[in-house]
Amino acid sequence: MSNKNIFDQNPRRARRYRIIKIRRFILAVVVLLLIAALGFFGVRHLLDRTGYSSESGFEKFAKETMKSIDGDTKMYGGEFQYEYGEPMSFATVMPATGYEAIDTAIADVWAQDRLNFENDNQTVAQQNQVALMAAYEASATPYDAESVAVHTYHYSNIDDAESLTERVDCYNIATKTGGELTLSQMFYGDYNSVFKQEADAYLQEKYADYLTEDYAAQIDAAAENFILTEDGVKFFFNSGTVASADQGAISMTIPYEKFDGVIRTDIGKRIIDPNKPMVALTYDDGPSVDNSTDRILDVMEKYDVVCTFFELGERVDEEGDRGAELLQRELKLGCEVGTHSYSHPNLYELDTAGLQEQAQKSIDAITRATGQPPTIMRPPYGNGNDEIAQIFGLPSINWDVDTLDWSSRNADAVIEEVHKIGNLDGCVVLMHSIYSSSAEATERLVPELVDQGYQLVTVSELLQYKYGYTPIEVKHYGYFFRPESGE
Ligand code: ZN
């Protein structure tokens, strides 16, 4: 039986069929038009990417490039500004977060980028084009925190060979203080494993054909390049790191639920007032074989304060599960975990390979134990410098107040050394977590300091909130913090 026969028997159905046919035709035309339009815009996009040859062309090109940012690009305002030149051009949309330390940090990074860019491109011929551009995305979060990611683009078109690279710098802000959140203020457990697993799955699925040879190592390198958003933690991979450069920077948001048990629920709640006195207690050479580390942590927990531990990688390894538990407890309480090298050598006596070994082995030991790399380092005997800090890839810090606890092994003597200093505002106090006398001194000292109105903070918090290092530079900070001290 043919359709025609049915229609002959039922003219109403035949009319409806004709209408359907017309609709199908219209639909087909619309689809074809859409495809044509997509093709047109696709081609136009490509044309944009093949550069510009005029001021208005650059303005358009810069705006198009910035449009590729997939987050909120307006939260902090900011005007589009550009300078066209031959061969060098610049364009920015800079955020005005209103948090002074963050705005200054972002402006400093841009100023440094611009300087490097001008130096690097001094010899580019006038008929070529090079451009430096920056714009941002920002996010509110479910915490007392806001985040901003600044995307910086390097474009060059030299003798018709084009390249566009993208780098993303992230800032997570504690809104109550305006300071940058440190890693230990956001995570207390193995967020790294969650991140790596999710990143690997995401990249294998979406960028299988573009992955670079060392993409696994590049995933590791991006572990701290994230912002907090409304729904989760958004990580960024700079262009050319995990995937070929033509893929641009890649972002990936991991929902907060995936970080249950390793992310703090109280991010940004702890208030550090930059205008009130603060002091950083620090403990070297642990984790301890006796119960000194636990006793120190009991005090921190009881008074709801924090300190910094500079741990020896070798000790962490030797202590096995017990060592890992101690380090995890330190992080859980909000304390900072730094490295004090692997085996406590005099770093001045090591060559580059030896320094690299001390850095890598100690960072690996701490990362294995906690899932988080250390965020700061202290050279044994205070023998550090900028070069060593660079090799460790961490800010390096000594102390201002040596309690001589290692020599006196006496709590009274330790406390007396601290009292001798008087005003401790801005100081870093050196103790060791391997002596019961130092644990006892801590039990007596902490309530006293709290009573006197000191905020007990980590070293990274001190660097930021007292001294305005946001971000904290990788260099050797030495002994200079103690006020009115020439040491
Ligand atoms: Zn030491």
Side-chain angles (χ1 to χ4, degrees), residues 284-285 310 312 339-348 358 377-384 388 392 396-399 479:
D284 290 7
D285 295 358
F310 291 98
L312 289 169
T339 166
H340 193 42
S341 80
Y342 190 73
S343 54
H344 212 279
N346 177 355
L347 298 179
Y348 289 160
Q358 287 291 324
M377 69 94 64
R378 170 174 286 160
Y381 317 105
N383 290 347
I388 291 170
F392 275 73
S396 160
I397 188 139
N398 290 352
W399 54 87
Y479 296 104

Side-chain angles (χ1 to χ4, degrees), residues 398-455:
N398 290 352
W399 54 87
D400 311 298
V401 183
D402 188 348
T403 62
L404 303 172
D405 66 334
W406 53 274
S407 120
S408 73
R409 311 278 181 99
N410 178 300
D412 288 333
V414 168
I415 291 168
E416 203 187 314
E417 288 299 327
V418 175
H419 285 168
K420 269 191 205 166
I421 304 298
N423 182 6
L424 292 166
D425 186 17
C427 282
V428 178
V429 180
L430 169 66
M431 287 186 267
H432 296 78
S433 59
I434 51 174
Y435 309 120
S436 59
S437 50
S438 303
E440 188 193 332
T442 303
E443 286 160 353
R444 289 160 55 188
L445 207 51
V446 165
E448 183 188 309
L449 294 171
V450 169
D451 271 356
Q452 289 170 354
Y454 287 108
Q455 304 174 92

Side-chain angles (χ1 to χ4, degrees), residues 21-228:
K21 255 168 67 178
I22 290 165
R23 278 189 189 154
R24 276 192 191 153
F25 176 73
I26 291 170
L27 192 72
V29 168
V30 168
V31 166
L32 278 172
L33 281 172
L34 269 174
I35 290 168
L38 279 172
F40 174 72
F41 286 119
V43 169
R44 230 193 53 170
H45 188 65
L46 209 67
L47 285 175
D48 285 338
R49 280 286 160 96
T50 53
Y52 47 87
S53 52
S54 65
E55 181 164 348
S56 64
F58 174 67
E59 183 181 355
K60 204 168 132 198
F61 170 75
K63 284 180 175 168
E64 283 293 327
T65 304
M66 291 171 183
K67 261 191 209 159
S68 68
I69 296 175
D70 68 356
D72 182 351
T73 59
K74 298 196 170 60
M75 185 169 134
Y76 292 129
E79 279 170 36
F80 176 80
Q81 295 183 320
Y82 73 99
E83 291 165 46
Y84 176 72
E86 289 167 3
M88 252 182 249
S89 302
F90 300 90
T92 56
V93 179
M94 280 300 183
T97 67
Y99 302 106
E100 200 190 330
I102 304 295
D103 287 340
T104 307
I106 291 170
D108 286 352
V109 170
W110 169 255
Q112 190 58 52
D113 272 349
R114 185 172 170 140
L115 201 67
N116 294 343
F117 182 81
E118 284 169 344
N119 286 336
D120 292 347
N121 291 295
Q122 267 171 2
T123 58
V124 173
Q126 202 182 342
Q127 76 271 16
N128 291 316
Q129 290 104 32
V130 289
L132 183 67
M133 299 166 278
Y136 75 94
E137 66 182 288
S139 185
T141 76
Y143 307 105
D144 288 325
E146 288 170 14
S147 294
V148 58
V150 180
H151 296 240
T152 305
Y153 304 89
H154 279 236
Y155 172 77
S156 77
N157 184 356
I158 311 259
D159 303 331
D160 291 331
E162 277 197 298
S163 87
L164 181 69
T165 61
E166 182 180 0
R167 189 194 79 225
V168 183
D169 297 307
C170 297
Y171 304 85
N172 296 298
I173 311 159
T175 49
K176 287 186 177 175
T177 60
E180 199 176 355
L181 287 161
T182 60
L183 197 61
S184 56
Q185 289 176 330
M186 294 181 275
F187 295 96
Y188 62 87
D190 192 357
Y191 86 101
N192 236 323
S193 294
V194 179
F195 160 64
K196 276 186 207 168
Q197 201 179 333
E198 294 288 321
D200 188 53
Y202 181 83
L203 294 168
Q204 293 282 3
E205 191 197 324
K206 305 247 175 184
Y207 295 91
D209 296 338
Y210 306 99
L211 297 179
T212 55
E213 269 181 27
D214 65 337
Y215 98 103
Q218 296 292 349
I219 288 177
D220 286 351
E224 289 179 49
N225 208 30
F226 63 80
I227 58 171
L228 305 174

Side-chain angles (χ1 to χ4, degrees), residues 68-71 137 149 151 166 168 202-203 206-207 225 227 233-239 242 247-254:
S68 68
I69 296 175
D70 68 356
E137 66 182 288
H151 296 240
E166 182 180 0
V168 183
Y202 181 83
L203 294 168
K206 305 247 175 184
Y207 295 91
N225 208 30
I227 58 171
V233 187
K234 185 173 185 179
F235 291 86
F236 296 92
F237 305 98
N238 293 337
S239 61
V242 290
Q247 298 300 305
I250 293 169
S251 68
M252 169 191 76
T253 300
I254 304 177

